[in-house]
Amino acid sequence: MTRALFAADPAASRGREFPEDRAGARGPRSEFQRDRDRIIHSIAFRRLRSKTQVFIAPDGDHYRTRLTHSLEVAQIGRVIARALGLDEDLTEALCLAHDIGHPPFGHAGEDALRQAMEGEGGFDHNAQALRVLMRLESPYCEHDGLNLTWELLEGLAKHNGPVAEPGWALTELNAAFPLDLGRYPSLEAQVAAVADDIAYDNHDIDDGLRAGFLALDDLLSLDFVADQWREVEKRFPNAPRERQLRELVRVQIGLMVNDVIAQTQRAAEGMATIDDVRAAGRALATFSPAMGAQERRLKRFMYDRLYFHPEQLATAERAREVVAKLYAAYAADPAALPAAWRASLPAEQPARARHIGDFVAGMTDRFAIDQYARIFGSRPEGLSNV
């Protein structure tokens, strides 16, 4: 595939925060390939295998986690990037890293940390992803962080669009390595964002049906889903219901991907450089208006029937309590922290609270449950509803 004029070019990268002289030392990789590989080999990325996607600390082996979700986003992102002539490696790296700042128990854990740290600047998982990659995950002798390219960090900071009012974490990082927060990011970052939507819109349907939280009859109240279901039944009338449902998910993903490709090609007409993309003043990688309306209806349905299901809300409340109590316990008695974290605990606020927040945010669901049991003497109940 020929590289589009408006694609990110690894040979023209704005560089890394800390200069490196490793050209050719570790294989013939582009700068963005090196970014992707650093993310994949990081401890923070491996921890995603035990962090909540939809269902908290699931007992079943077949439900998605943050890790499997990130891999699915990356697969969708690469397909779209290839069709548009974008840099597939940068797109993949952004997809793999986009959730790396999530605390245990998903949004329930984030809510607890945001409230616990409210007086010290709060907590935001998007900014925490940058903080993990630029400061906390530090395997190299020469510098803190993974020292990723400007384009990768810019894309993570702004994959949802320009940031008008960055929180404390992003403000600190942007001061050290300015990321041009006021403009739109590359198309690779925009593709990563819409690939995330496509992945969780459809794969959460799969998990919700598997868990019994969603019913097919209810899903068929959505015209978009009903249209695809009729086609699936027509093509595979004798197939088992489970296979038909998986075919439905695949078909919907394909339709959304094709729609994004066509809409983005139209929106990017006349764009001659990546700077044209950043200066466009609007997102270019989007659904068409018609598909966008269908996708929004699907999202509302998923919030009503799955994410805000009473059992889900009850489990999330228990998870929030676990994270809140853990944070409070470490703040009250830093001796409860592991030795390495205790040794580097700042003496003054707000750095002290943020250091504790970093430790709690890095936990997996299982580790948080284990730490709760160690500190409070009993394991929290009711943290798995599938």
Side-chain angles (χ1 to χ4, degrees), residues 287-319:
F287 296 111
S288 67
M291 181 64 78
Q294 297 281 16
E295 194 266 345
R296 287 190 296 274
R297 282 194 285 272
L298 176 58
K299 266 196 174 65
R300 286 196 296 271
F301 175 90
M302 294 295 284
Y303 272 94
D304 290 343
R305 302 302 180 91
L306 179 61
Y307 309 134
F308 290 164
H309 187 284
E311 190 173 337
Q312 284 278 76
L313 292 177
T315 305
E317 183 56 39
R318 290 190 286 270

PDB file of all heavy atoms in Angstrom, residues 287-319:
ATOM      1  N   PHE A 287     -17.338   7.944  11.703  1.00  0.00           N
ATOM      2  CA  PHE A 287     -18.440   7.296  10.999  1.00  0.00           C
ATOM      3  C   PHE A 287     -19.135   8.315  10.095  1.00  0.00           C
ATOM      4  O   PHE A 287     -19.080   9.531  10.345  1.00  0.00           O
ATOM      5  CB  PHE A 287     -19.467   6.756  11.995  1.00  0.00           C
ATOM      6  CG  PHE A 287     -18.949   5.667  12.898  1.00  0.00           C
ATOM      7  CD1 PHE A 287     -18.781   5.897  14.251  1.00  0.00           C
ATOM      8  CD2 PHE A 287     -18.643   4.411  12.390  1.00  0.00           C
ATOM      9  CE1 PHE A 287     -18.324   4.898  15.096  1.00  0.00           C
ATOM     10  CE2 PHE A 287     -18.181   3.402  13.223  1.00  0.00           C
ATOM     11  CZ  PHE A 287     -18.015   3.647  14.581  1.00  0.00           C
ATOM     12  N   SER A 288     -19.802   7.814   9.076  1.00  0.00           N
ATOM     13  CA  SER A 288     -20.677   8.680   8.295  1.00  0.00           C
ATOM     14  C   SER A 288     -21.821   9.147   9.189  1.00  0.00           C
ATOM     15  O   SER A 288     -22.094   8.542  10.231  1.00  0.00           O
ATOM     16  CB  SER A 288     -21.238   7.915   7.094  1.00  0.00           C
ATOM     17  OG  SER A 288     -22.117   6.886   7.540  1.00  0.00           O
ATOM     18  N   PRO A 289     -22.515  10.229   8.816  1.00  0.00           N
ATOM     19  CA  PRO A 289     -23.640  10.684   9.647  1.00  0.00           C
ATOM     20  C   PRO A 289     -24.676   9.586   9.908  1.00  0.00           C
ATOM     21  O   PRO A 289     -25.159   9.440  11.033  1.00  0.00           O
ATOM     22  CB  PRO A 289     -24.238  11.832   8.830  1.00  0.00           C
ATOM     23  CG  PRO A 289     -23.071  12.383   8.075  1.00  0.00           C
ATOM     24  CD  PRO A 289     -22.225  11.181   7.718  1.00  0.00           C
ATOM     25  N   ALA A 290     -25.003   8.797   8.886  1.00  0.00           N
ATOM     26  CA  ALA A 290     -26.012   7.749   9.072  1.00  0.00           C
ATOM     27  C   ALA A 290     -25.506   6.657  10.011  1.00  0.00           C
ATOM     28  O   ALA A 290     -26.222   6.248  10.939  1.00  0.00           O
ATOM     29  CB  ALA A 290     -26.386   7.145   7.717  1.00  0.00           C
ATOM     30  N   MET A 291     -24.275   6.187   9.809  1.00  0.00           N
ATOM     31  CA  MET A 291     -23.728   5.150  10.688  1.00  0.00           C
ATOM     32  C   MET A 291     -23.492   5.711  12.081  1.00  0.00           C
ATOM     33  O   MET A 291     -23.688   5.009  13.086  1.00  0.00           O
ATOM     34  CB  MET A 291     -22.426   4.591  10.118  1.00  0.00           C
ATOM     35  CG  MET A 291     -21.802   3.483  10.971  1.00  0.00           C
ATOM     36  SD  MET A 291     -22.830   1.999  11.089  1.00  0.00           S
ATOM     37  CE  MET A 291     -22.498   1.236   9.482  1.00  0.00           C
ATOM     38  N   GLY A 292     -23.069   6.967  12.167  1.00  0.00           N
ATOM     39  CA  GLY A 292     -22.860   7.590  13.473  1.00  0.00           C
ATOM     40  C   GLY A 292     -24.135   7.592  14.300  1.00  0.00           C
ATOM     41  O   GLY A 292     -24.103   7.350  15.516  1.00  0.00           O
ATOM     42  N   ALA A 293     -25.274   7.859  13.656  1.00  0.00           N
ATOM     43  CA  ALA A 293     -26.550   7.853  14.373  1.00  0.00           C
ATOM     44  C   ALA A 293     -26.888   6.448  14.858  1.00  0.00           C
ATOM     45  O   ALA A 293     -27.360   6.264  15.992  1.00  0.00           O
ATOM     46  CB  ALA A 293     -27.657   8.382  13.463  1.00  0.00           C
ATOM     47  N   GLN A 294     -26.635   5.451  14.017  1.00  0.00           N
ATOM     48  CA  GLN A 294     -26.884   4.064  14.424  1.00  0.00           C
ATOM     49  C   GLN A 294     -25.964   3.659  15.581  1.00  0.00           C
ATOM     50  O   GLN A 294     -26.391   2.986  16.528  1.00  0.00           O
ATOM     51  CB  GLN A 294     -26.643   3.116  13.238  1.00  0.00           C
ATOM     52  CG  GLN A 294     -27.559   3.323  12.044  1.00  0.00           C
ATOM     53  CD  GLN A 294     -28.930   2.696  12.259  1.00  0.00           C
ATOM     54  OE1 GLN A 294     -29.310   2.372  13.372  1.00  0.00           O
ATOM     55  NE2 GLN A 294     -29.682   2.536  11.173  1.00  0.00           N
ATOM     56  N   GLU A 295     -24.700   4.067  15.501  1.00  0.00           N
ATOM     57  CA  GLU A 295     -23.733   3.718  16.547  1.00  0.00           C
ATOM     58  C   GLU A 295     -24.105   4.359  17.872  1.00  0.00           C
ATOM     59  O   GLU A 295     -23.962   3.742  18.935  1.00  0.00           O
ATOM     60  CB  GLU A 295     -22.334   4.138  16.100  1.00  0.00           C
ATOM     61  CG  GLU A 295     -21.198   3.552  16.898  1.00  0.00           C
ATOM     62  CD  GLU A 295     -20.722   4.442  18.026  1.00  0.00           C
ATOM     63  OE1 GLU A 295     -21.088   5.638  18.026  1.00  0.00           O
ATOM     64  OE2 GLU A 295     -19.966   3.960  18.904  1.00  0.00           O
ATOM     65  N   ARG A 296     -24.577   5.588  17.841  1.00  0.00           N
ATOM     66  CA  ARG A 296     -24.993   6.253  19.083  1.00  0.00           C
ATOM     67  C   ARG A 296     -26.192   5.549  19.704  1.00  0.00           C
ATOM     68  O   ARG A 296     -26.272   5.421  20.933  1.00  0.00           O
ATOM     69  CB  ARG A 296     -25.301   7.729  18.814  1.00  0.00           C
ATOM     70  CG  ARG A 296     -24.047   8.576  18.568  1.00  0.00           C
ATOM     71  CD  ARG A 296     -24.373  10.051  18.554  1.00  0.00           C
ATOM     72  NE  ARG A 296     -25.249  10.420  17.449  1.00  0.00           N
ATOM     73  CZ  ARG A 296     -24.820  10.729  16.216  1.00  0.00           C
ATOM     74  NH1 ARG A 296     -23.526  10.667  15.933  1.00  0.00           N
ATOM     75  NH2 ARG A 296     -25.668  11.077  15.267  1.00  0.00           N
ATOM     76  N   ARG A 297     -27.131   5.085  18.874  1.00  0.00           N
ATOM     77  CA  ARG A 297     -28.279   4.340  19.404  1.00  0.00           C
ATOM     78  C   ARG A 297     -27.816   3.023  20.037  1.00  0.00           C
ATOM     79  O   ARG A 297     -28.325   2.614  21.092  1.00  0.00           O
ATOM     80  CB  ARG A 297     -29.297   4.076  18.294  1.00  0.00           C
ATOM     81  CG  ARG A 297     -30.164   5.275  17.957  1.00  0.00           C
ATOM     82  CD  ARG A 297     -31.365   4.902  17.107  1.00  0.00           C
ATOM     83  NE  ARG A 297     -30.975   4.645  15.745  1.00  0.00           N
ATOM     84  CZ  ARG A 297     -30.900   5.586  14.788  1.00  0.00           C
ATOM     85  NH1 ARG A 297     -31.177   6.852  15.096  1.00  0.00           N
ATOM     86  NH2 ARG A 297     -30.547   5.275  13.561  1.00  0.00           N
ATOM     87  N   LEU A 298     -26.868   2.383  19.388  1.00  0.00           N
ATOM     88  CA  LEU A 298     -26.325   1.144  19.941  1.00  0.00           C
ATOM     89  C   LEU A 298     -25.657   1.397  21.283  1.00  0.00           C
ATOM     90  O   LEU A 298     -25.845   0.646  22.243  1.00  0.00           O
ATOM     91  CB  LEU A 298     -25.333   0.522  18.957  1.00  0.00           C
ATOM     92  CG  LEU A 298     -24.600  -0.741  19.412  1.00  0.00           C
ATOM     93  CD1 LEU A 298     -25.579  -1.853  19.784  1.00  0.00           C
ATOM     94  CD2 LEU A 298     -23.646  -1.218  18.315  1.00  0.00           C
ATOM     95  N   LYS A 299     -24.900   2.473  21.388  1.00  0.00           N
ATOM     96  CA  LYS A 299     -24.239   2.812  22.652  1.00  0.00           C
ATOM     97  C   LYS A 299     -25.250   3.067  23.762  1.00  0.00           C
ATOM     98  O   LYS A 299     -25.077   2.604  24.891  1.00  0.00           O
ATOM     99  CB  LYS A 299     -23.354   4.055  22.471  1.00  0.00           C
ATOM    100  CG  LYS A 299     -21.897   3.760  22.156  1.00  0.00           C
ATOM    101  CD  LYS A 299     -21.065   5.002  22.378  1.00  0.00           C
ATOM    102  CE  LYS A 299     -19.590   4.694  22.211  1.00  0.00           C
ATOM    103  NZ  LYS A 299     -19.226   4.302  20.844  1.00  0.00           N
ATOM    104  N   ARG A 300     -26.301   3.817  23.443  1.00  0.00           N
ATOM    105  CA  ARG A 300     -27.323   4.090  24.461  1.00  0.00           C
ATOM    106  C   ARG A 300     -27.950   2.790  24.943  1.00  0.00           C
ATOM    107  O   ARG A 300     -28.194   2.603  26.142  1.00  0.00           O
ATOM    108  CB  ARG A 300     -28.394   5.036  23.897  1.00  0.00           C
ATOM    109  CG  ARG A 300     -27.935   6.477  23.763  1.00  0.00           C
ATOM    110  CD  ARG A 300     -29.124   7.415  23.585  1.00  0.00           C
ATOM    111  NE  ARG A 300     -29.837   7.161  22.345  1.00  0.00           N
ATOM    112  CZ  ARG A 300     -29.549   7.739  21.174  1.00  0.00           C
ATOM    113  NH1 ARG A 300     -28.535   8.604  21.097  1.00  0.00           N
ATOM    114  NH2 ARG A 300     -30.258   7.454  20.092  1.00  0.00           N
ATOM    115  N   PHE A 301     -28.222   1.899  24.008  1.00  0.00           N
ATOM    116  CA  PHE A 301     -28.780   0.600  24.367  1.00  0.00           C
ATOM    117  C   PHE A 301     -27.839  -0.151  25.300  1.00  0.00           C
ATOM    118  O   PHE A 301     -28.259  -0.721  26.310  1.00  0.00           O
ATOM    119  CB  PHE A 301     -29.032  -0.212  23.099  1.00  0.00           C
ATOM    120  CG  PHE A 301     -29.494  -1.623  23.355  1.00  0.00           C
ATOM    121  CD1 PHE A 301     -30.838  -1.917  23.470  1.00  0.00           C
ATOM    122  CD2 PHE A 301     -28.571  -2.658  23.501  1.00  0.00           C
ATOM    123  CE1 PHE A 301     -31.263  -3.223  23.708  1.00  0.00           C
ATOM    124  CE2 PHE A 301     -28.985  -3.957  23.741  1.00  0.00           C
ATOM    125  CZ  PHE A 301     -30.338  -4.240  23.847  1.00  0.00           C
ATOM    126  N   MET A 302     -26.545  -0.156  24.973  1.00  0.00           N
ATOM    127  CA  MET A 302     -25.572  -0.890  25.778  1.00  0.00           C
ATOM    128  C   MET A 302     -25.444  -0.300  27.176  1.00  0.00           C
ATOM    129  O   MET A 302     -25.283  -1.033  28.162  1.00  0.00           O
ATOM    130  CB  MET A 302     -24.226  -0.918  25.071  1.00  0.00           C
ATOM    131  CG  MET A 302     -24.228  -1.699  23.768  1.00  0.00           C
ATOM    132  SD  MET A 302     -24.551  -3.462  24.002  1.00  0.00           S
ATOM    133  CE  MET A 302     -22.965  -3.989  24.642  1.00  0.00           C
ATOM    134  N   TYR A 303     -25.512   1.005  27.277  1.00  0.00           N
ATOM    135  CA  TYR A 303     -25.477   1.619  28.611  1.00  0.00           C
ATOM    136  C   TYR A 303     -26.714   1.231  29.413  1.00  0.00           C
ATOM    137  O   TYR A 303     -26.620   0.877  30.600  1.00  0.00           O
ATOM    138  CB  TYR A 303     -25.355   3.144  28.504  1.00  0.00           C
ATOM    139  CG  TYR A 303     -23.924   3.606  28.418  1.00  0.00           C
ATOM    140  CD1 TYR A 303     -23.306   3.822  27.190  1.00  0.00           C
ATOM    141  CD2 TYR A 303     -23.162   3.798  29.574  1.00  0.00           C
ATOM    142  CE1 TYR A 303     -21.986   4.221  27.105  1.00  0.00           C
ATOM    143  CE2 TYR A 303     -21.845   4.201  29.507  1.00  0.00           C
ATOM    144  CZ  TYR A 303     -21.261   4.412  28.266  1.00  0.00           C
ATOM    145  OH  TYR A 303     -19.949   4.800  28.205  1.00  0.00           O
ATOM    146  N   ASP A 304     -27.863   1.290  28.783  1.00  0.00           N
ATOM    147  CA  ASP A 304     -29.107   0.976  29.495  1.00  0.00           C
ATOM    148  C   ASP A 304     -29.179  -0.489  29.912  1.00  0.00           C
ATOM    149  O   ASP A 304     -29.595  -0.801  31.036  1.00  0.00           O
ATOM    150  CB  ASP A 304     -30.310   1.307  28.608  1.00  0.00           C
ATOM    151  CG  ASP A 304     -30.508   2.798  28.413  1.00  0.00           C
ATOM    152  OD1 ASP A 304     -29.938   3.580  29.205  1.00  0.00           O
ATOM    153  OD2 ASP A 304     -31.206   3.182  27.455  1.00  0.00           O
ATOM    154  N   ARG A 305     -28.771  -1.393  29.032  1.00  0.00           N
ATOM    155  CA  ARG A 305     -29.011  -2.818  29.244  1.00  0.00           C
ATOM    156  C   ARG A 305     -27.816  -3.582  29.811  1.00  0.00           C
ATOM    157  O   ARG A 305     -28.004  -4.646  30.395  1.00  0.00           O
ATOM    158  CB  ARG A 305     -29.439  -3.478  27.923  1.00  0.00           C
ATOM    159  CG  ARG A 305     -30.676  -2.871  27.294  1.00  0.00           C
ATOM    160  CD  ARG A 305     -31.895  -2.921  28.216  1.00  0.00           C
ATOM    161  NE  ARG A 305     -33.054  -2.329  27.589  1.00  0.00           N
ATOM    162  CZ  ARG A 305     -33.940  -3.010  26.868  1.00  0.00           C
ATOM    163  NH1 ARG A 305     -33.788  -4.311  26.682  1.00  0.00           N
ATOM    164  NH2 ARG A 305     -34.966  -2.389  26.318  1.00  0.00           N
ATOM    165  N   LEU A 306     -26.593  -3.060  29.611  1.00  0.00           N
ATOM    166  CA  LEU A 306     -25.416  -3.806  30.064  1.00  0.00           C
ATOM    167  C   LEU A 306     -24.608  -3.030  31.092  1.00  0.00           C
ATOM    168  O   LEU A 306     -24.479  -3.451  32.236  1.00  0.00           O
ATOM    169  CB  LEU A 306     -24.531  -4.182  28.877  1.00  0.00           C
ATOM    170  CG  LEU A 306     -23.251  -4.954  29.214  1.00  0.00           C
ATOM    171  CD1 LEU A 306     -23.580  -6.285  29.885  1.00  0.00           C
ATOM    172  CD2 LEU A 306     -22.416  -5.194  27.959  1.00  0.00           C
ATOM    173  N   TYR A 307     -24.073  -1.890  30.706  1.00  0.00           N
ATOM    174  CA  TYR A 307     -23.167  -1.169  31.606  1.00  0.00           C
ATOM    175  C   TYR A 307     -23.886  -0.687  32.864  1.00  0.00           C
ATOM    176  O   TYR A 307     -23.291  -0.666  33.946  1.00  0.00           O
ATOM    177  CB  TYR A 307     -22.521   0.023  30.889  1.00  0.00           C
ATOM    178  CG  TYR A 307     -21.881  -0.336  29.572  1.00  0.00           C
ATOM    179  CD1 TYR A 307     -22.086   0.443  28.436  1.00  0.00           C
ATOM    180  CD2 TYR A 307     -21.071  -1.459  29.449  1.00  0.00           C
ATOM    181  CE1 TYR A 307     -21.504   0.127  27.222  1.00  0.00           C
ATOM    182  CE2 TYR A 307     -20.483  -1.791  28.238  1.00  0.00           C
ATOM    183  CZ  TYR A 307     -20.703  -0.993  27.129  1.00  0.00           C
ATOM    184  OH  TYR A 307     -20.130  -1.325  25.925  1.00  0.00           O
ATOM    185  N   PHE A 308     -25.167  -0.295  32.728  1.00  0.00           N
ATOM    186  CA  PHE A 308     -25.945   0.162  33.881  1.00  0.00           C
ATOM    187  C   PHE A 308     -26.944  -0.890  34.358  1.00  0.00           C
ATOM    188  O   PHE A 308     -27.915  -0.569  35.036  1.00  0.00           O
ATOM    189  CB  PHE A 308     -26.686   1.459  33.539  1.00  0.00           C
ATOM    190  CG  PHE A 308     -25.783   2.656  33.372  1.00  0.00           C
ATOM    191  CD1 PHE A 308     -26.245   3.800  32.741  1.00  0.00           C
ATOM    192  CD2 PHE A 308     -24.477   2.641  33.821  1.00  0.00           C
ATOM    193  CE1 PHE A 308     -25.428   4.909  32.576  1.00  0.00           C
ATOM    194  CE2 PHE A 308     -23.642   3.740  33.657  1.00  0.00           C
ATOM    195  CZ  PHE A 308     -24.112   4.877  33.038  1.00  0.00           C
ATOM    196  N   HIS A 309     -26.704  -2.127  34.012  1.00  0.00           N
ATOM    197  CA  HIS A 309     -27.522  -3.217  34.531  1.00  0.00           C
ATOM    198  C   HIS A 309     -27.419  -3.218  36.063  1.00  0.00           C
ATOM    199  O   HIS A 309     -26.337  -3.002  36.615  1.00  0.00           O
ATOM    200  CB  HIS A 309     -27.021  -4.552  33.968  1.00  0.00           C
ATOM    201  CG  HIS A 309     -27.873  -5.731  34.300  1.00  0.00           C
ATOM    202  ND1 HIS A 309     -27.878  -6.318  35.552  1.00  0.00           N
ATOM    203  CD2 HIS A 309     -28.755  -6.450  33.549  1.00  0.00           C
ATOM    204  CE1 HIS A 309     -28.714  -7.331  35.549  1.00  0.00           C
ATOM    205  NE2 HIS A 309     -29.267  -7.433  34.353  1.00  0.00           N
ATOM    206  N   PRO A 310     -28.524  -3.444  36.783  1.00  0.00           N
ATOM    207  CA  PRO A 310     -28.464  -3.362  38.249  1.00  0.00           C
ATOM    208  C   PRO A 310     -27.369  -4.228  38.875  1.00  0.00           C
ATOM    209  O   PRO A 310     -26.699  -3.805  39.824  1.00  0.00           O
ATOM    210  CB  PRO A 310     -29.868  -3.837  38.671  1.00  0.00           C
ATOM    211  CG  PRO A 310     -30.741  -3.469  37.522  1.00  0.00           C
ATOM    212  CD  PRO A 310     -29.898  -3.654  36.300  1.00  0.00           C
ATOM    213  N   GLU A 311     -27.170  -5.416  38.334  1.00  0.00           N
ATOM    214  CA  GLU A 311     -26.133  -6.274  38.900  1.00  0.00           C
ATOM    215  C   GLU A 311     -24.743  -5.721  38.631  1.00  0.00           C
ATOM    216  O   GLU A 311     -23.849  -5.795  39.480  1.00  0.00           O
ATOM    217  CB  GLU A 311     -26.252  -7.693  38.336  1.00  0.00           C
ATOM    218  CG  GLU A 311     -25.349  -8.696  39.057  1.00  0.00           C
ATOM    219  CD  GLU A 311     -25.593 -10.119  38.622  1.00  0.00           C
ATOM    220  OE1 GLU A 311     -26.701 -10.403  38.117  1.00  0.00           O
ATOM    221  OE2 GLU A 311     -24.683 -10.949  38.789  1.00  0.00           O
ATOM    222  N   GLN A 312     -24.566  -5.131  37.454  1.00  0.00           N
ATOM    223  CA  GLN A 312     -23.290  -4.491  37.131  1.00  0.00           C
ATOM    224  C   GLN A 312     -23.031  -3.302  38.063  1.00  0.00           C
ATOM    225  O   GLN A 312     -21.904  -3.109  38.545  1.00  0.00           O
ATOM    226  CB  GLN A 312     -23.306  -4.000  35.681  1.00  0.00           C
ATOM    227  CG  GLN A 312     -23.139  -5.092  34.652  1.00  0.00           C
ATOM    228  CD  GLN A 312     -21.681  -5.452  34.460  1.00  0.00           C
ATOM    229  OE1 GLN A 312     -21.076  -6.129  35.287  1.00  0.00           O
ATOM    230  NE2 GLN A 312     -21.110  -4.990  33.366  1.00  0.00           N
ATOM    231  N   LEU A 313     -24.059  -2.505  38.298  1.00  0.00           N
ATOM    232  CA  LEU A 313     -23.901  -1.330  39.162  1.00  0.00           C
ATOM    233  C   LEU A 313     -23.579  -1.745  40.590  1.00  0.00           C
ATOM    234  O   LEU A 313     -22.750  -1.112  41.264  1.00  0.00           O
ATOM    235  CB  LEU A 313     -25.177  -0.487  39.132  1.00  0.00           C
ATOM    236  CG  LEU A 313     -25.484   0.202  37.800  1.00  0.00           C
ATOM    237  CD1 LEU A 313     -26.815   0.941  37.887  1.00  0.00           C
ATOM    238  CD2 LEU A 313     -24.379   1.174  37.403  1.00  0.00           C
ATOM    239  N   ALA A 314     -24.203  -2.818  41.070  1.00  0.00           N
ATOM    240  CA  ALA A 314     -23.928  -3.279  42.432  1.00  0.00           C
ATOM    241  C   ALA A 314     -22.496  -3.777  42.555  1.00  0.00           C
ATOM    242  O   ALA A 314     -21.800  -3.492  43.548  1.00  0.00           O
ATOM    243  CB  ALA A 314     -24.912  -4.387  42.809  1.00  0.00           C
ATOM    244  N   THR A 315     -22.020  -4.503  41.546  1.00  0.00           N
ATOM    245  CA  THR A 315     -20.646  -4.994  41.571  1.00  0.00           C
ATOM    246  C   THR A 315     -19.661  -3.828  41.486  1.00  0.00           C
ATOM    247  O   THR A 315     -18.637  -3.821  42.178  1.00  0.00           O
ATOM    248  CB  THR A 315     -20.410  -5.967  40.399  1.00  0.00           C
ATOM    249  OG1 THR A 315     -21.375  -7.007  40.457  1.00  0.00           O
ATOM    250  CG2 THR A 315     -19.009  -6.569  40.470  1.00  0.00           C
ATOM    251  N   ALA A 316     -19.978  -2.853  40.646  1.00  0.00           N
ATOM    252  CA  ALA A 316     -19.108  -1.683  40.514  1.00  0.00           C
ATOM    253  C   ALA A 316     -19.007  -0.915  41.825  1.00  0.00           C
ATOM    254  O   ALA A 316     -17.938  -0.402  42.177  1.00  0.00           O
ATOM    255  CB  ALA A 316     -19.627  -0.772  39.405  1.00  0.00           C
ATOM    256  N   GLU A 317     -20.099  -0.832  42.562  1.00  0.00           N
ATOM    257  CA  GLU A 317     -20.065  -0.135  43.843  1.00  0.00           C
ATOM    258  C   GLU A 317     -19.143  -0.855  44.819  1.00  0.00           C
ATOM    259  O   GLU A 317     -18.391  -0.213  45.571  1.00  0.00           O
ATOM    260  CB  GLU A 317     -21.477  -0.025  44.414  1.00  0.00           C
ATOM    261  CG  GLU A 317     -21.564   0.749  45.727  1.00  0.00           C
ATOM    262  CD  GLU A 317     -20.980   2.152  45.616  1.00  0.00           C
ATOM    263  OE1 GLU A 317     -21.178   2.811  44.570  1.00  0.00           O
ATOM    264  OE2 GLU A 317     -20.292   2.589  46.572  1.00  0.00           O
ATOM    265  N   ARG A 318     -19.203  -2.173  44.826  1.00  0.00           N
ATOM    266  CA  ARG A 318     -18.286  -2.931  45.696  1.00  0.00           C
ATOM    267  C   ARG A 318     -16.832  -2.725  45.269  1.00  0.00           C
ATOM    268  O   ARG A 318     -15.934  -2.631  46.108  1.00  0.00           O
ATOM    269  CB  ARG A 318     -18.667  -4.405  45.668  1.00  0.00           C
ATOM    270  CG  ARG A 318     -19.990  -4.717  46.369  1.00  0.00           C
ATOM    271  CD  ARG A 318     -20.221  -6.200  46.529  1.00  0.00           C
ATOM    272  NE  ARG A 318     -20.575  -6.844  45.284  1.00  0.00           N
ATOM    273  CZ  ARG A 318     -21.824  -6.998  44.832  1.00  0.00           C
ATOM    274  NH1 ARG A 318     -22.845  -6.530  45.546  1.00  0.00           N
ATOM    275  NH2 ARG A 318     -22.065  -7.624  43.696  1.00  0.00           N
ATOM    276  N   ALA A 319     -16.595  -2.661  43.963  1.00  0.00           N
ATOM    277  CA  ALA A 319     -15.238  -2.432  43.468  1.00  0.00           C
ATOM    278  C   ALA A 319     -14.740  -1.045  43.843  1.00  0.00           C
ATOM    279  O   ALA A 319     -13.573  -0.868  44.229  1.00  0.00           O
ATOM    280  CB  ALA A 319     -15.209  -2.613  41.950  1.00  0.00           C
TER     281      ALA A 319
END
